[in-house]
PDB file of all heavy atoms in Angstrom:
ATOM      1  N   GLY E 212     -31.149  77.825 130.819  1.00  0.00           N
ATOM      2  CA  GLY E 212     -32.480  77.268 130.605  1.00  0.00           C
ATOM      3  C   GLY E 212     -32.468  76.179 129.583  1.00  0.00           C
ATOM      4  O   GLY E 212     -31.720  76.316 128.575  1.00  0.00           O
ATOM      5  N   GLY E 213     -33.239  75.150 129.846  1.00  0.00           N
ATOM      6  CA  GLY E 213     -33.421  74.076 128.896  1.00  0.00           C
ATOM      7  C   GLY E 213     -34.760  74.124 128.222  1.00  0.00           C
ATOM      8  O   GLY E 213     -35.764  74.159 128.968  1.00  0.00           O
ATOM      9  N   GLY E 214     -34.803  74.269 126.888  1.00  0.00           N
ATOM     10  CA  GLY E 214     -36.114  74.347 126.187  1.00  0.00           C
ATOM     11  C   GLY E 214     -36.879  75.551 126.629  1.00  0.00           C
ATOM     12  O   GLY E 214     -36.388  76.684 126.638  1.00  0.00           O
ATOM     13  N   THR E 215     -38.169  75.326 127.055  1.00  0.00           N
ATOM     14  CA  THR E 215     -38.948  76.451 127.521  1.00  0.00           C
ATOM     15  C   THR E 215     -38.546  76.921 128.902  1.00  0.00           C
ATOM     16  O   THR E 215     -39.203  77.829 129.452  1.00  0.00           O
ATOM     17  CB  THR E 215     -40.471  76.104 127.494  1.00  0.00           C
ATOM     18  OG1 THR E 215     -40.681  74.884 128.164  1.00  0.00           O
ATOM     19  CG2 THR E 215     -40.959  76.024 126.039  1.00  0.00           C
ATOM     20  N   GLY E 216     -37.534  76.307 129.482  1.00  0.00           N
ATOM     21  CA  GLY E 216     -36.899  76.838 130.692  1.00  0.00           C
ATOM     22  C   GLY E 216     -36.333  78.221 130.443  1.00  0.00           C
ATOM     23  O   GLY E 216     -35.924  78.910 131.399  1.00  0.00           O
ATOM     24  N   LEU E 217     -36.308  78.646 129.225  1.00  0.00           N
ATOM     25  CA  LEU E 217     -35.867  80.014 128.899  1.00  0.00           C
ATOM     26  C   LEU E 217     -36.856  81.049 129.473  1.00  0.00           C
ATOM     27  O   LEU E 217     -36.509  82.208 129.776  1.00  0.00           O
ATOM     28  CB  LEU E 217     -35.749  80.161 127.405  1.00  0.00           C
ATOM     29  CG  LEU E 217     -35.338  81.567 126.841  1.00  0.00           C
ATOM     30  CD1 LEU E 217     -33.948  81.941 127.337  1.00  0.00           C
ATOM     31  CD2 LEU E 217     -35.453  81.616 125.328  1.00  0.00           C
ATOM     32  N   ALA E 218     -38.162  80.676 129.543  1.00  0.00           N
ATOM     33  CA  ALA E 218     -39.175  81.583 129.788  1.00  0.00           C
ATOM     34  C   ALA E 218     -38.959  82.465 131.032  1.00  0.00           C
ATOM     35  O   ALA E 218     -38.865  83.755 130.913  1.00  0.00           O
ATOM     36  CB  ALA E 218     -40.557  80.900 129.939  1.00  0.00           C
ATOM     37  N   PRO E 219     -38.763  81.897 132.234  1.00  0.00           N
ATOM     38  CA  PRO E 219     -38.588  82.790 133.381  1.00  0.00           C
ATOM     39  C   PRO E 219     -37.282  83.520 133.392  1.00  0.00           C
ATOM     40  O   PRO E 219     -37.155  84.590 133.951  1.00  0.00           O
ATOM     41  CB  PRO E 219     -38.695  81.834 134.566  1.00  0.00           C
ATOM     42  CG  PRO E 219     -38.163  80.507 134.049  1.00  0.00           C
ATOM     43  CD  PRO E 219     -38.673  80.489 132.615  1.00  0.00           C
ATOM     44  N   LEU E 220     -36.320  82.957 132.655  1.00  0.00           N
ATOM     45  CA  LEU E 220     -34.965  83.632 132.635  1.00  0.00           C
ATOM     46  C   LEU E 220     -35.033  84.933 131.861  1.00  0.00           C
ATOM     47  O   LEU E 220     -34.268  85.855 132.105  1.00  0.00           O
ATOM     48  CB  LEU E 220     -33.918  82.673 131.956  1.00  0.00           C
ATOM     49  CG  LEU E 220     -33.846  81.283 132.610  1.00  0.00           C
ATOM     50  CD1 LEU E 220     -32.698  80.500 132.000  1.00  0.00           C
ATOM     51  CD2 LEU E 220     -33.608  81.386 134.168  1.00  0.00           C
ATOM     52  N   ILE E 221     -35.957  85.023 130.907  1.00  0.00           N
ATOM     53  CA  ILE E 221     -36.104  86.248 130.128  1.00  0.00           C
ATOM     54  C   ILE E 221     -36.611  87.369 131.099  1.00  0.00           C
ATOM     55  O   ILE E 221     -36.043  88.506 131.111  1.00  0.00           O
ATOM     56  CB  ILE E 221     -37.107  86.075 128.962  1.00  0.00           C
ATOM     57  CG1 ILE E 221     -36.548  85.148 127.926  1.00  0.00           C
ATOM     58  CG2 ILE E 221     -37.431  87.451 128.350  1.00  0.00           C
ATOM     59  CD1 ILE E 221     -37.496  84.786 126.780  1.00  0.00           C
ATOM     60  N   GLY E 222     -37.595  87.041 131.922  1.00  0.00           N
ATOM     61  CA  GLY E 222     -38.114  88.014 132.884  1.00  0.00           C
ATOM     62  C   GLY E 222     -37.036  88.404 133.892  1.00  0.00           C
ATOM     63  O   GLY E 222     -36.921  89.617 134.246  1.00  0.00           O
ATOM     64  N   LEU E 223     -36.246  87.425 134.409  1.00  0.00           N
ATOM     65  CA  LEU E 223     -35.218  87.741 135.360  1.00  0.00           C
ATOM     66  C   LEU E 223     -34.169  88.600 134.731  1.00  0.00           C
ATOM     67  O   LEU E 223     -33.708  89.578 135.374  1.00  0.00           O
ATOM     68  CB  LEU E 223     -34.555  86.390 135.835  1.00  0.00           C
ATOM     69  CG  LEU E 223     -35.425  85.499 136.723  1.00  0.00           C
ATOM     70  CD1 LEU E 223     -34.696  84.181 137.009  1.00  0.00           C
ATOM     71  CD2 LEU E 223     -35.754  86.194 138.060  1.00  0.00           C
ATOM     72  N   ALA E 224     -33.725  88.237 133.519  1.00  0.00           N
ATOM     73  CA  ALA E 224     -32.651  89.001 132.880  1.00  0.00           C
ATOM     74  C   ALA E 224     -33.097  90.476 132.648  1.00  0.00           C
ATOM     75  O   ALA E 224     -32.392  91.447 132.910  1.00  0.00           O
ATOM     76  CB  ALA E 224     -32.182  88.357 131.606  1.00  0.00           C
ATOM     77  N   ARG E 225     -34.299  90.602 132.131  1.00  0.00           N
ATOM     78  CA  ARG E 225     -34.792  91.951 131.798  1.00  0.00           C
ATOM     79  C   ARG E 225     -34.975  92.796 133.096  1.00  0.00           C
ATOM     80  O   ARG E 225     -34.748  93.986 133.108  1.00  0.00           O
ATOM     81  CB  ARG E 225     -36.091  91.877 131.050  1.00  0.00           C
ATOM     82  CG  ARG E 225     -35.901  91.354 129.594  1.00  0.00           C
ATOM     83  CD  ARG E 225     -37.177  91.141 128.847  1.00  0.00           C
ATOM     84  NE  ARG E 225     -37.928  92.424 128.722  1.00  0.00           N
ATOM     85  CZ  ARG E 225     -39.231  92.538 128.933  1.00  0.00           C
ATOM     86  NH1 ARG E 225     -39.941  91.494 129.265  1.00  0.00           N
ATOM     87  NH2 ARG E 225     -39.813  93.713 128.799  1.00  0.00           N
ATOM     88  N   THR E 226     -35.409  92.102 134.164  1.00  0.00           N
ATOM     89  CA  THR E 226     -35.522  92.813 135.444  1.00  0.00           C
ATOM     90  C   THR E 226     -34.209  93.307 135.995  1.00  0.00           C
ATOM     91  O   THR E 226     -34.011  94.438 136.368  1.00  0.00           O
ATOM     92  CB  THR E 226     -36.193  91.912 136.485  1.00  0.00           C
ATOM     93  OG1 THR E 226     -37.512  91.547 135.990  1.00  0.00           O
ATOM     94  CG2 THR E 226     -36.353  92.588 137.827  1.00  0.00           C
TER      95      THR E 226
END
Side-chain angles (χ1 to χ4, degrees):
T215 52
L217 178 66
L220 306 185
I221 293 174
L223 290 174
R225 291 176 60 225
T226 300

